[in-house]
Amino acid sequence: MRAAIAGASGYAGGELLRLLLGHPGFEIGALTAASSAGGRLGTHQPHLPQLAERVIEETTADTLAGHDVVFLALPHGHSAAVAAQLGEETIVVDCGADHRLADPAAWQEFYGGEHAGTWPYGLPELPGQREILRKATRIAVPGCYPTSVLLALSPAFAAGLAAPDVVVVAASGTSGAGKSLKPNLLGSEVMGSVSAYGVGGGHRHTPEMEQGLSTVAGQPVRVSFTPTLAPMSRGILATCSAPAAPGVTKESLRTAYEVALKGEPFVRLLPEGTWPATAMTYGANTAALQVTLDERAGRVVAVIAIDNLTKGTAGGAIQSVNLALGLPEELGLPLTGVAP
Amino acid sequence: MRAAIAGASGYAGGELLRLLLGHPGFEIGALTAASSAGGRLGTHQPHLPQLAERVIEETTADTLAGHDVVFLALPHGHSAAVAAQLGEETIVVDCGADHRLADPAAWQEFYGGEHAGTWPYGLPELPGQREILRKATRIAVPGCYPTSVLLALSPAFAAGLAAPDVVVVAASGTSGAGKSLKPNLLGSEVMGSVSAYGVGGGHRHTPEMEQGLSTVAGQPVRVSFTPTLAPMSRGILATCSAPAAPGVTKESLRTAYEVALKGEPFVRLLPEGTWPATAMTYGANTAALQVTLDERAGRVVAVIAIDNLTKGTAGGAIQSVNLALGLPEELGLPLTGVAP
Amino acid sequence: MRAAIAGASGYAGGELLRLLLGHPGFEIGALTAASSAGGRLGTHQPHLPQLAERVIEETTADTLAGHDVVFLALPHGHSAAVAAQLGEETIVVDCGADHRLADPAAWQEFYGGEHAGTWPYGLPELPGQREILRKATRIAVPGCYPTSVLLALSPAFAAGLAAPDVVVVAASGTSGAGKSLKPNLLGSEVMGSVSAYGVGGGHRHTPEMEQGLSTVAGQPVRVSFTPTLAPMSRGILATCSAPAAPGVTKESLRTAYEVALKGEPFVRLLPEGTWPATAMTYGANTAALQVTLDERAGRVVAVIAIDNLTKGTAGGAIQSVNLALGLPEELGLPLTGVAP
Amino acid sequence: MRAAIAGASGYAGGELLRLLLGHPGFEIGALTAASSAGGRLGTHQPHLPQLAERVIEETTADTLAGHDVVFLALPHGHSAAVAAQLGEETIVVDCGADHRLADPAAWQEFYGGEHAGTWPYGLPELPGQREILRKATRIAVPGCYPTSVLLALSPAFAAGLAAPDVVVVAASGTSGAGKSLKPNLLGSEVMGSVSAYGVGGGHRHTPEMEQGLSTVAGQPVRVSFTPTLAPMSRGILATCSAPAAPGVTKESLRTAYEVALKGEPFVRLLPEGTWPATAMTYGANTAALQVTLDERAGRVVAVIAIDNLTKGTAGGAIQSVNLALGLPEELGLPLTGVAP
């Protein structure tokens, strides 16, 4: 299979390339970008020596044509126009936000502009989602934060163990913000400091979390979400809690998670007493998850670690593509993290 | 005034010394410790060249005698025995946990062993607390996490704007764990990783938060608290939320905070739209605070940054001692952080 | 004394303000900048709450007029034109490079453009330099790397213990590169990585090191200098070596350094067996220095740690201004670092 | 092939396991350790979920028997006794220092105790070394620093372009010091700080560098080596210089490196003007190298980045074992780094 990557000079693009280089089912075709077009990939992705001499092309329908799979790692609002020019024989994977939300009003409120429509949501671990993805030719890759939150709380909501009043506080590495030249992303500002942003319900991933959890719960779930920026390049640690349903015990909670996660190749419920660290998942397509009942406060508390660029973006994208192509779901995706 | 520091080789002890060296009202007397006794301070605190040649003594009633103020920066459970041997003419400041909790049952549950009794709580910003501290000869310095949470949420609870069902997720720098030789505190483990610990209500600072908030609220407040460890040496960023009381608006919330914080020398309500970063308070006795209403989720969300060693421990201790000694509350305490 | 700061929104400007706020001899006057003019200082320097509401003005002769001291923290090439408009009754301190080099050819080679002339060099620790600075109304603040190298090797060259063939490899925190929006300075790129730059003699601080060491040695000294960028915000650790002169022993070397540094308020020769760490000097106007003889390789090896923004820029500037104003040299300058 | 790993709970052991899990030619047999024996691997290596339930055994001749390859990742001085009990039908790979030095006097001086003898040196890139390794049943894995320095300077010495008077300053991530519980390796001490250690010729890797370079140069080479500790978990950036031989030009130097590195699978000469960063090699078995002539100072300057745990230890070990087993040298070894 030949894969093209639009947005090859960015962080998501680089991670797609890193993983595809280790994937036995793919040959890397066109590499495209906007302002970096014309340069060598090695300038932007010096950790990928095999592709150092490859020239970056403009992102156009022409350069992306003739591939079996096209990965779009573009700023939000840019995917729909490109995708419209690619036929149904091409699997198009949108790593951006354009096709995630089903509700045009939510799109309008959080992103603005016209809604591009909804594509199959690329989180195979959601109930019933694998079947949907097996027939997909268009895939909307979940946001990195929603990936973490949906994996962490779906088992509780699917089993009816939590009330629909969720609080999430998550710490993300700086690569989640992309390669943007903003003062607050400078190393001097970031190192030695944790900061909050998008507080109070304004982060664009909020409606996506609510959409996913509501579907799983079968009732509207609201989420109070606060993202924070931590001094690391990669990783998300999300602490997610909701009021426990009446009668829930630590044991019933753990059993529900064990049942829900049985056979999942990438989501690991940690041994009791062990809590997630993002280092457990660095560079891997895995999630490290733990759940407990805070009896004092009456809340289900689930904590999850993922790599925002791997399971949270590029690895999750390839996992869904594996399904869409009829390949083994785990093919080419790293289970081992890089630590320490 | 002559001050002795017990636990001078640790992180809290080092920060007390750093601040006292810049305080015009203090002369530094005995420096004591346990396993480090007999060595030079410079071996343990090389950032304090003025004291490099000072010899560390054993922590005993004798070495601590004859000082106006004795700061105890000892592991929990060690302060009561030492304090019992110091007369009322000496101001004793416990930077440990021994004298914070009023409820012996909570002490027993979270710390174990016999309760050492309760001392005046060294958080001048709590309503009415300055008056209590002005007459104090014994001061229990708050825990670093409770300092952050009480400063962040007291204005909301004092004004009746929040329901008593609090969720706190906080990120701390590693110095909060002290100079303990534990594998999970090694640089190789900590760098590039955020991890959770003490999840599910088990962290010892939980009852202290509940005690303080309940007093302010005039009703029992429960707190679901999750601490996380971030890859930085210093700093706490705490995200604190609670259901908004009926009728609360963004404006009424901000006004309540402005009123409550008016005249506070160290707690700063940031301009609207600016969110706290721990770098704002690095090495300073300040707190950077922001609050908003998450209208979608119906929650008051307050985010606060402090330096866990300064406002969260040593600076907070000296602030209370300034009051106890009748000195200006701000004397010798840095308002400026060190950034970037 | 009233001080104006041109370049108040940058890192050097912020450090000048941090130190001046703690200096008893200064009142802070005009704060000026280029692109940040018109905004509040708090937007750019949120760690300085006392000045948060101050408005930044344009850098012009008018806004800088009427101050006793003007600190110029501007990009190189911008200081001369501003300085020319300020009278001799004003002490002008150039934190940039414009007035450091005596040799117009070296200026032309490394910076290009016209040479602005040479001002008294603001490194009081150089032999005879204090006397020069006591009469100065114009001061050229040394570069951060040259500060470290000159402090580390001057005692050896002044005593004739080293041959003039120096190799320096230095690691710097990212604030040394300023608040520039360059991709290689993004947190995602910097964290977890050490990188080299300006290798092979091209770094602009090279001729400045050679100028200073040659003056001390009384003969031409050549320097092979390699700077590296380390994942920290502040600090320089410079490893400096040169062939040992015949007959040099570890003891004679140490004695020479002890003699040379006797009475120096800010440069500390560490106890034998202790090696510098930048954390020893974080936020302080100090240098932590160690020297030894590598008998196997026949080289004098001196290692030094400074804070690039404090002793390496703003603190060094104020130290020289203290001399120029007839104030105690140490006034207002921190001896204690912030650690851990 | 079945491989046993002695020292499986440490950092080198963990990296061996990470790479062997991705190697098509190996099955992972016994995992052994000293103090960690009896526990689960998941406690020590939570980034390797596939092996989480594996029990760690004692390191004995019995537990290591019956494997095709035994990797010893033990503290120095512990490998010889274990190796003596393993027959020649087993390939034994010593990741420690015991069998690297040919000169018993150098061993005695730098390590002390009895010299264990010399094994084939596992750096295939050295001239003629591949042939030696193809017949080896015992392999001494080079130290991480010597790996970097020998790769960086061998081309220059092999071509006679440098004089034998080398200066090396290298920055290493903290994993190079292992999982030792020492105060200076705590995260609080390491983050935000670069420090020197082992200055003045005392580091144990010095004679190993001299041994390797002297062999390549055909004459005794002396090395002045200063290691520094940088705030990152992984990576070495080594700046290596030596006086240029008469007549050397930038062009002749680059050509010599291009010729020497032609066909090397893992050592990459960067494009001119690009300088190494450790992030380029994070988790990869690669080296990123650049060389230039400092014409001003008359020195050849080579800068190299490697991952100390991958190419510097475990990856280098597997590369040599691939040769010894007659497998393709690159088999199972990552060319792509994990970045950002």
Side-chain angles (χ1 to χ4, degrees), chain A residues 11 174-175 179-183 185-191 230-233, chain C residues 11 174-175 179-183 185-191 230-233:
Chain A
Y11 291 149
T174 51
S175 62
K179 226 182 242 186
S180 333
L181 294 179
K182 297 178 185 161
L185 296 178
L186 285 174
S188 299
E189 306 290 325
V190 164
M191 289 186 285
M232 56 187 186
S233 293
Chain C
Y11 291 149
T174 52
S175 63
K179 224 183 245 186
S180 332
L181 294 179
K182 296 179 187 161
L185 296 177
L186 285 174
S188 299
E189 305 290 325
V190 164
M191 290 186 284
M232 58 187 186
S233 293

Side-chain angles (χ1 to χ4, degrees), chain D residues 55-150:
Chain D
V55 175
I56 303 173
E57 302 174 84
E58 290 276 352
T59 301
T60 66
D62 276 358
T63 54
L64 297 176
H67 293 83
D68 300 292
V69 182
V70 172
F71 292 93
L72 303 176
L74 303 172
H76 78 83
H78 288 65
S79 300
V82 175
Q85 303 180 61
L86 298 168
E88 283 296 313
E89 74 284 0
T90 304
I91 293 181
V92 184
V93 185
D94 187 0
C95 296
D98 293 20
H99 303 92
R100 293 174 191 158
L101 294 182
D103 177 6
W107 174 267
Q108 179 65 37
E109 178 185 351
F110 281 86
Y111 291 91
E114 204 182 339
H115 187 221
T118 312
W119 287 359
Y121 193 68
L123 195 62
E125 290 85 358
L126 288 185
Q129 200 64 18
R130 279 192 175 89
E131 289 319 303
I132 292 168
L133 290 166
R134 283 206 181 95
K135 295 169 288 193
T137 60
R138 296 290 181 270
I139 297 168
V141 180
C144 50
Y145 287 123
T147 295
S148 67
V149 174
L150 293 175

Side-chain angles (χ1 to χ4, degrees), chain B residues 9-63:
Chain B
S9 59
Y11 290 149
E15 185 73 350
L16 283 163
L17 290 169
R18 179 177 79 88
L19 296 174
L20 291 173
L21 282 168
H23 193 295
F26 283 103
E27 176 193 346
I28 293 172
L31 308 180
T32 78
S35 62
S36 313
R40 305 269 163 187
L41 191 76
T43 308
H44 304 279
Q45 313 285 12
H47 60 300
L48 307 174
Q50 306 101 310
L51 301 172
E53 298 306 315
R54 291 284 298 272
V55 174
I56 303 173
E57 301 175 85
E58 290 276 351
T59 301
T60 67
D62 277 359
T63 54

